[in-house]
Every structure is written in structure tokens, then in C-alpha cells.
Amino acid sequence: MSQQDHEQFMAAAIEEAMAGAAAGEQPFGGVVVRGGTIVARARSLKVGSYDATAHAETLAVGQATRALRARSLADCTFYATCEPCPMCCGAIINSEIGTLVIGARFHKMRRFSEVFGAYHDYSVEAMARLTGSRLQVISGVLEARCEALYRGARITVNG
């Protein structure tokens, strides 16, 4: 996909994050794309649902596998406004998504909130290596817009 395609789909993930924030949720958004078409989009719902697993990424993976009636999303690309946490990265890897496109990275976001430091030296690349995944990672797509979602936001690890 082209840089313009990546920006278009990341913009959709940003829309999800903003809609979630407007509803009192944490500002995280995710979009799953296959063949240039969005097959799933989700925002974090963990605050209002009291469900620590209701992250945008896990919800989008679940929606995509159900929509495509397939456990493997190997021919899909995932767009995440922020680097997926270990749980979400596990869902992405387990679904065999081929490419992960990230807006904001944890190592840069630590300057906005200490919660991003909770994962110490974690990165999606390290998780992929640990699991033997061939996940391709692309960073920095609409990075400034994604980082802006987290400046001043109340974000916690547990909800």
C-alpha cells in the first residue's frame, strides 16, 4: 500500500479514537483493512464496559475474524493509533495479521504519561521476535495526530 493509503486508514483509526474519547473512553482506535477495504473498526470500550480486555485492537480483531469468517487475517493490515499493548499485540499476532501500522509509539509517548512507561522495554517488534511472528511493522503514520490524542488524556493501564 502507498503512504497515502496508510494515512487514509490511520485517519479512520483516529476517528475511532476521537469518538471513543468523546464518549468518555480512552482515546485508542484500530482499523483492519483487507484488499484496500476496511473490514473492521473499533475504539476502546474498557472504561464504560468495565472490561479490561475491551481494547480497540482486540475488538477490531474479533470483528474482522467474524466479518471474514476466518481465524487467520494473514492478508490484512492493522492500523493502530498507538502501539498495541502486549495483550493486543498477542491478538494481532494470533490472528496472523501480516502488517501492523502504528501512529504513536510507547517509547516516545512516555513524555506525555508515565503509564506508557509501565511496559518498560516492551515493543511490538520484541513481542514478534519472542513469538516467532513475521509481523511487518510500519511506524510513524500520522504520528503527530496520533500523539495529540494522548496529550493530557487520562490513560491508565487498568482502566
Side-chain angles (χ1 to χ4, degrees):
M1 283 198 221
S2 71
Q3 182 67 21
Q4 184 177 3
D5 291 332
H6 289 320
E7 290 178 3
Q8 171 192 343
F9 296 125
M10 185 61 75
I14 291 169
E15 287 173 11
E16 287 297 320
M18 291 172 61
E25 295 290 341
Q26 294 182 349
F28 295 91
V31 170
V32 179
V33 174
R34 179 182 184 200
T37 301
I38 294 175
V39 295
R41 52 190 302 155
R43 63 194 69 144
S44 176
L45 298 176
K46 74 179 201 173
V47 173
S49 68
Y50 302 98
D51 180 352
T53 66
H55 292 204
E57 298 88 348
T58 58
L59 295 171
V61 166
Q63 287 176 23
T65 55
R66 287 187 299 277
L68 297 173
R69 301 186 56 77
R71 290 187 329 218
S72 175
L73 302 174
D75 56 350
C76 294
T77 300
F78 195 104
Y79 291 83
T81 56
C82 187
E83 183 167 5
C85 74
M87 176 184 69
C88 293
C89 188
I92 289 166
I93 288 170
N94 196 34
S95 69
E96 302 174 343
I97 286 174
T99 303
L100 170 62
V101 181
I102 302 170
R105 296 299 298 249
F106 281 174
H107 71 275
K108 291 184 177 181
M109 298 300 294
R110 289 183 183 119
R111 68 184 187 268
F112 301 130
S113 174
E114 65 184 42
V115 75
F116 292 106
Y119 297 114
H120 304 284
D121 292 331
Y122 164 81
S123 70
V124 294
E125 291 89 351
M127 177 72 97
R129 279 191 306 276
L130 179 68
T131 61
S133 170
R134 293 188 180 131
L135 181 67
Q136 177 187 4
V137 179
I138 299 170
S139 293
V141 175
L142 298 183
E143 182 177 29
R145 286 183 60 196
C146 289
E147 286 181 354
L149 294 167
Y150 308 105
R151 283 192 193 98
R154 186 178 179 282
I155 299 171
T156 64
V157 173
N158 328 0

